[in-house]
Amino acid sequence: MNLSAQDHQTFFTCDTDFLRPSDTVMQKAWRERNPPARIKAAYQALELNNDCATAYVLLAEEEATTIVDAERLFRQALKAGETIYRRSQQCQHQSPQHEAQLRRDTNVLVYIKRRLAMCARKLGRIREAVKIMRDLMKEFPPLTMLNIHENLLESLLELQAYADVQAVLAKYDDISLPKSAAICYTAALLKTRTVSDKFSPETASRRGLSTAEINAVEAIHRAVEFNPHVPKYLLEMKSLILPPEHILKRGDSEAIAYAFFHLQHWKRIEGALNLLQCTWEGTFRMIPYPLEKGHLFYPYPSCTETADRELLPPFHHVSVYPKKELPFFIHFTAGLCSSTAMIALLTHQFPEIMGVFAKAVLGFLCLQPAPSVFEENTQDLKSEALGLSSG
């Protein structure tokens, strides 16, 4: 709730809210932590102004119980938001306050349209969702913080429009732009798609990997380096849960959200999961110390586990970065060196005591009394006697 309140205040409030009574009420509503009180404040804002778009947004997200109800409220919010946005456009050059209002009203309008696109996607109207997202990306290209392109990638994958997916990746999978699991794993999926149906580990070990297979494997390694938690969910080695409302890039929460929505796309491509299963663990041989030095990305952040524990429910076992297991020889050598160093230190500090101890140990190991000839003869006689009695 704290993270949501921060996001809402960032997108939906500005310094001039006091000029509109309904926005003043909504500013208090976004800061409220009690859901019933937030809903009550939204209705109060609508009583003051029936065109309060943010009030409809709050009701759609927190009071609506079905996607159909949420879509109906978002359509009302869109109608109100477009009216306010046009007014702000006309007044934007009058003062800095009016410019701030326009930025806020732009954020509200984009947020509403994106939510309507997601409602259409959930209700099966995928082409309509794709059109809304494309229009948003053309009309408001700077607003990449809403990750509309990631929603567009998932919708295009559902349509199996792989050429369009590649076109989106060509624009957003750029070295200067922030990455995500959706971008990295979608790029890997497209390269895997060209070779996965004919891939066989036995055949590849005999003849080696082709150029296309090498590209697919490198794309998988790149994706795993960015977020190493995704493969276990895609391969169903860990159980999926509902994704949280907020996610952390490169963390377990992002992996859950990606796998929850994209697992079906990996299953749809024949052999894709098989190629992933055969190659993903090879990433950790390339970056044996990921917390200190990365390969294609910055070193893996050590704080993700703590943040994911706050974002994910208590019953979920949070995935952590796989630790590289050292061979037995290294453990043995380390133990031997430590023991030698300890003995040398004790010998230097207490030479007389260590000398006595060494003599005692050597005497115990090397000077054990050998059995006498009389004892050997006695044993032989006993053996012969037993042999005669049994005969």
Side-chain angles (χ1 to χ4, degrees):
M1 181 63 76
N2 288 333
L3 292 173
S4 298
Q6 292 172 15
D7 287 346
H8 290 146
Q9 290 176 61
T10 301
F11 286 122
F12 301 150
T13 63
C14 67
D15 296 336
T16 60
D17 281 343
F18 66 92
L19 299 176
R20 302 175 184 171
S22 58
D23 288 340
T24 305
V25 175
M26 287 307 301
Q27 191 173 56
K28 296 178 181 178
W30 296 126
R31 294 173 180 171
E32 179 62 54
R33 297 297 187 271
N34 185 19
R38 290 160 66 90
I39 294 172
K40 182 179 179 181
Y43 279 114
Q44 290 175 353
L46 288 175
E47 290 176 0
L48 295 171
N49 179 13
N50 195 42
D51 288 335
C52 183
T54 53
Y56 288 117
V57 169
L58 190 149
L59 294 176
E61 294 192 340
E62 301 188 21
E63 189 184 42
T65 56
T66 65
I67 298 176
V68 174
D69 292 340
E71 185 181 37
R72 176 180 55 79
L73 288 167
F74 276 125
R75 289 194 184 281
Q76 291 179 272
L78 177 63
K79 183 179 178 181
E82 287 178 334
T83 302
I84 298 172
Y85 176 71
R86 285 193 293 269
R87 291 176 190 164
S88 298
Q89 275 187 315
Q90 295 170 359
C91 305
Q92 61 176 315
H93 301 297
Q94 294 181 5
S95 67
Q97 289 79 13
H98 286 89
E99 291 180 4
Q101 278 187 356
L102 177 63
R103 285 194 297 271
R104 188 271 308 277
D105 295 336
T106 302
N107 291 337
V108 172
L109 185 62
V110 173
Y111 187 92
I112 293 169
K113 287 186 176 182
R114 175 177 175 266
R115 286 299 200 195
L116 281 171
M118 296 310 300
C119 287
R121 167 67 184 92
K122 294 295 182 185
L123 294 172
R125 305 196 307 270
I126 304 173
R127 296 189 183 279
E128 178 185 340
V130 168
K131 184 180 183 305
I132 296 174
M133 294 175 197
R134 286 189 185 280
D135 292 343
L136 275 176
M137 292 165 62
K138 290 178 182 177
E139 190 175 358
F140 306 100
L143 291 177
T144 57
M145 78 285 288
L146 292 175
N147 297 324
I148 301 171
H149 57 282
E150 295 183 14
N151 302 133
L152 178 61
L153 285 174
E154 196 280 327
S155 299
L156 291 173
L157 285 172
E158 181 64 22
L159 292 174
Q160 302 183 43
Y162 297 113
D164 293 335
V165 173
Q166 186 61 59
V168 175
L169 286 176
K171 182 177 181 180
Y172 289 95
D173 192 7
D174 185 82
I175 192 171
S176 62
L177 296 176
K179 299 294 180 290
S180 66
I183 289 176
C184 294
Y185 278 90
T186 301
L189 179 61
L190 290 190
K191 293 185 177 180
T192 300
R193 174 176 168 267
T194 61
V195 298
S196 60
D197 57 337
K198 300 176 182 177
F199 178 79
S200 170
E202 296 78 12
T203 306
S205 61
R206 288 197 304 269
R207 62 167 171 79
L209 295 174
S210 65
T211 303
E213 289 172 340
I214 291 174
N215 291 336
V217 171
E218 288 178 349
I220 290 174
H221 287 174
R222 171 180 180 260
V224 174
E225 181 184 352
F226 182 83
N227 193 316
H229 312 294
V230 172
K232 287 189 175 181
Y233 293 109
L234 292 179
L235 298 172
E236 299 181 83
M237 299 165 65
K238 284 193 70 176
S239 58
L240 270 175
I241 62 172
L242 287 172
E245 184 176 355
H246 299 273
I247 63 171
L248 179 69
K249 290 290 183 71
R250 305 187 74 179
D252 191 31
S253 52
E254 184 192 32
I256 292 171
Y258 173 80
F260 187 87
F261 294 108
H262 287 259
L263 176 58
Q264 57 182 331
H265 307 313
W266 282 80
K267 286 185 174 181
R268 185 179 292 128
I269 296 176
E270 182 182 357
L273 290 175
N274 177 46
L275 181 57
L276 177 67
Q277 185 175 18
C278 294
T279 57
W280 75 278
E281 290 181 324
T283 309
F284 306 116
R285 291 192 291 270
M286 300 165 51
I287 43 173
Y289 303 105
L291 301 182
E292 301 172 8
K293 184 180 180 181
H295 180 58
L296 298 172
F297 301 101
Y298 287 109
Y300 188 80
S302 58
C303 60
T304 54
E305 181 181 356
T306 304
D308 277 331
R309 291 190 187 281
E310 296 180 2
L311 295 173
L312 295 167
F315 62 81
H316 175 71
H317 181 67
V318 175
S319 176
V320 297
Y321 199 101
K323 295 181 180 178
K324 187 177 179 65
E325 295 183 0
L326 297 176
F328 170 76
F329 175 74
I330 294 181
H331 289 288
F332 175 75
T333 305
L336 184 62
C337 292
S338 301
S339 303
T340 304
M342 183 62 68
I343 292 172
L345 178 63
L346 292 174
T347 303
H348 177 73
Q349 294 291 334
F350 312 103
E352 296 180 358
I353 298 176
M354 290 301 294
V356 174
F357 178 74
K359 289 179 181 178
V361 172
L362 291 174
F364 178 77
L365 295 177
C366 303
L367 303 178
Q368 290 287 342
S372 62
V373 176
F374 175 76
E375 291 175 346
E376 291 179 356
N377 292 336
T378 304
Q379 293 292 335
D380 293 340
L381 290 173
K382 287 182 179 179
S383 300
E384 292 176 2
L386 290 172
L388 291 171
S389 63
S390 61

